[in-house]
Amino acid sequence: MKAVVVGAGFGGLAAAVGLHQRGWDVTVAERAPELLPVGAGLAVAPNGLRALDMLGLGDAVRKLAAFQGDAAMRRSDGRVIARTAGSAMERRFGDAVIPATRAAVMDVLTASLPPDALRLGVAATGVEVGGTSERPRLLTDSGPLEADLIVAADGVNSVLRKALFPEHGGPVYSGFTAWRMLVPAPPGDYLPGETWGGGQVFGITPLADGRVYAYAADHSPAGVTYPDEKAELLRRFGGWHHPIPEIIGAAEPGAVLHNDVYEMADPLPAYHRGAVAILGDAAHAMTPHLGQGANQAMEDAVTLAALVGPAKDSVEIATALAQYTALRVPRGADIVRRSHRLGALTQTTSRPKAALRNVVMRLAGRVVPDLALRAMDPVVAWQPPQ
Ligand SMILES: Cc1cc2nc3c(=O)[nH]c(=O)nc-3n(C[C@H](O)[C@H](O)[C@H](O)COP(=O)(O)OP(=O)(O)OC[C@H]3O[C@@H](n4cnc5c(N)ncnc54)[C@H](O)[C@@H]3O)c2cc1C
C-alpha cells in the first residue's frame, strides 16, 4: 500500500513513521527545501509520549528530559500563585512533561524513516479525491503523486484543508500573538513555569542542553510585526520579575520568533474525504495555552496509522478512515475549546477577574494540592487505540 504524507511537521512525520512500520510505502512531500530547526522548543506531554510509544520512540524523547524540579505560576512581580511538584505529574500520568527543542524531537522522528521517504522542496497545490474506487491524486509543483492514502499534515494554513473542505471558513485569529526563543540559561536561582499579568503570559522552560526555552503571549490585532521583536518584548516584559528581563536580554537579535495565533473555532465536519485524511494543525489548529498542538498532531497520527495500517484495499481504507474521523473529530474539537478557555483565564485583561483567579488558585492549591493536575485529566490521560 502506498501513502503520500504532505508536511514534515510532528503530525506528518509521526503518521509517516507509523505507516512505514506497518509495511506501507511512504513518501513525505515537504515544501521547505531543508528541515530547519524552526519553532524553538515544545513540551511533549504524557499523552504525546504515549503516542510516541506506539512508534517505539517514547524513550528516545524521554531521554531529552531536563531535571524535573518544582514549577510555579506567578504574578508579574514574582509572587507565587501556585506551585506544582515535578514528580506530581509523573505520579498521576506515568510521565512528566518533557521540554525539548523542536529539532531534537523532529530528529527522533526523521531517523525512523527510510532515507528516500522524505521529498524536500515539494509543495502540494491541491488534491483530487476521486470516486470510491479511484485512488486520490496529490497535485504538487513537481507534478502529481498518486497513492492509496494521502495524509494532509500541512499545518495551520493547509492548502489541502481548503481543497477538501472549501465550505469551511478555516482557522480564525485568536486575538493572541506569541513569541518564542531559545537562550542560554540565565545565572542565579529561579523557578521554571509561567507568569501571568495584565493579559500577558511569559513561560520559562529549562532544557537539558543548558539552554532555556521561553515563550510570551499578549493580546494584539492580527498582522502586527516589529522591526526589533526583542526590543518589543523588553518593552512589554522588561519590568517583570527575575529572570524574565535577563532571558529576553540574552536572545539573539533576529532569533526571536513571532507568530499570530489562529485556532479552528468551528470544527471540521470530518477528518477525511475519500481516501484523504487530515491531521494536526491542518485539522484543528489551537491556541498554545495547553501546550497540546503537537501532542494532538501525534495522537492523530498514531491513531490514523493504527486504524489504516492493516487495510489491504480501498474498502478497508474507507472503513478505517470513518473510524478515524469518529475518534478524532470530537477529541480535536474538545482540546481546541479547552485551550481557548485556558487562554481566556490566563490572559484575562480584567483586574478583578485576574485577582479572583489568583486567590482561587492559591486557596485551591492548598486544599487540593493536585487540583491543577486533575483538571488536566481529560487532556493528558489519553490512551492510544488498541
Ligand atoms: C507559541 C507556541 C507554543 C507552542 N507550544 C507547544 C507545546 O509546548 N506543545 C505542543 O504540543 N504544541 C505547541 N505548539 C503548537 C505546535 O507548534 C503545533 O500544533 C504543531 O507544530 C503542529 O504540527 P503539525 O505537524 O500539524 O504542523 P506543522 O508543524 O506546522 O507542520 C506542517 C508542515 O507542512 C509543511 N507544509 C505546509 N504547506 C505545505 C504544502 N503546501 N506542501 C508541502 N508541505 C507543506 C510545512 O513546511 C511544515 O513543515 C505551540 C505553538 C505556538 C505558536
Side-chain angles (χ1 to χ4, degrees), residues 6-12 29-32 35 41-44 102 106 122-125 153-159 178-180 213 215-216 259-261 279-282 286 288 291-297:
V6 183
F10 296 106
E30 165 57 48
R31 180 175 59 184
L35 290 186
L42 93 156
V44 185
R102 285 181 175 247
M106 299 279 279
V122 177
T125 52
D154 50 343
V156 60
N157 296 315
S158 171
V159 168
W179 292 266
R180 287 173 277 183
Y213 163 51
Y215 55 88
N259 301 96
D260 285 344
V261 176
L279 57 75
D281 276 9
M286 60 187 68
Q292 276 288 317
N295 289 288
Q296 290 303 311

Side-chain angles (χ1 to χ4, degrees), residues 10-386:
F10 296 106
L13 289 174
V17 172
L19 290 166
H20 165 67
Q21 289 177 345
R22 286 170 176 83
W24 284 57
D25 171 13
V26 181
T27 297
V28 182
E30 165 57 48
R31 180 175 59 184
E34 51 181 324
L35 290 186
L36 293 170
V38 289
L42 93 156
V44 185
N47 55 315
L49 288 166
R50 264 176 242 123
L52 286 162
D53 281 336
M54 293 271 288
L55 308 175
L57 300 177
D59 285 346
V61 172
R62 288 184 185 93
K63 280 193 196 132
L64 304 172
F67 166 72
Q68 295 287 318
D70 288 0
M73 279 166 258
R74 284 189 281 181
R75 301 192 321 195
S76 56
D77 61 5
R79 185 168 179 208
V80 172
I81 301 168
R83 222 176 240 265
T84 50
S87 52
M89 186 115 189
E90 208 165 337
R91 273 200 308 276
R92 190 161 190 90
F93 298 115
D95 266 307
V97 170
I98 309 292
T101 61
R102 285 181 175 247
V105 181
M106 299 279 279
D107 282 351
V108 169
L109 287 163
T110 42
S112 303
L113 279 176
D116 56 349
L118 254 181
R119 286 191 52 191
L120 296 172
V122 177
T125 52
V127 66
E128 290 169 1
V129 174
T132 35
S133 55
E134 283 174 302
R135 296 169 100 204
R137 233 158 68 107
L138 181 73
L139 309 177
T140 81
D141 60 359
S142 316
L145 293 168
E146 227 179 69
D148 298 289
L149 173 73
I150 291 174
V151 181
D154 50 343
V156 60
N157 296 315
S158 171
V159 168
L160 295 193
R161 180 190 57 240
K162 287 175 203 141
L164 294 171
F165 302 98
E167 69 287 358
H168 191 277
V172 293
Y173 183 50
S174 67
F176 297 118
T177 200
W179 292 266
R180 287 173 277 183
M181 67 207 104
L182 284 172
V183 302
D189 285 340
Y190 58 90
L191 274 173
E194 264 190 11
T195 302
W196 301 343
Q200 301 152 311
V201 62
F202 197 98
I204 303 173
T205 312
L207 300 175
D209 65 6
R211 289 183 295 173
V212 162
Y213 163 51
Y215 55 88
D218 203 349
H219 296 263
S220 167
V224 181
T225 56
Y226 303 92
D228 184 343
E229 299 284 357
K230 178 175 165 174
E232 181 58 25
L233 274 180
L234 279 171
R235 189 184 71 74
R236 291 175 191 242
F237 299 93
W240 286 28
H241 67 77
H242 168 79
I244 292 173
E246 291 83 347
I247 285 176
I248 302 170
E252 290 282 332
V256 176
L257 295 172
H258 179 196
N259 301 96
D260 285 344
V261 176
Y262 283 76
E263 62 184 337
M264 203 76 133
D266 268 341
L268 287 176
Y271 284 179
H272 75 287
R273 278 269 155 98
V276 184
I278 186 163
L279 57 75
D281 276 9
H284 48 62
M286 60 187 68
T287 68
H289 297 94
L290 271 176
Q292 276 288 317
N295 289 288
Q296 290 303 311
M298 293 189 291
E299 279 191 17
D300 290 339
V302 300
T303 304
L304 178 69
L307 293 171
V308 183
K312 293 282 172 280
D313 57 38
S314 60
V315 176
E316 290 181 8
I317 289 177
T319 308
L321 288 180
Q323 290 172 334
Y324 169 68
T325 275
L327 276 179
R328 296 307 301 174
V329 171
R331 172 80 172 156
D334 180 51
I335 305 295
V336 170
R337 268 193 306 270
R338 284 175 189 278
S339 204
H340 180 93
R341 282 204 300 265
L342 186 63
L345 178 75
T346 55
Q347 292 196 238
T348 177
T349 48
S350 153
R351 278 173 184 247
K353 269 194 202 158
L356 181 67
R357 172 201 68 200
N358 295 352
V359 170
V360 168
M361 285 197 61
R362 198 172 299 127
L363 290 178
R366 277 188 208 145
V367 181
V368 192
D370 62 350
L371 190 71
L373 286 184
R374 283 190 199 191
M376 291 296 286
D377 277 359
V379 178
V380 174
W382 172 84
Q383 292 293 336
Q386 294 304 307

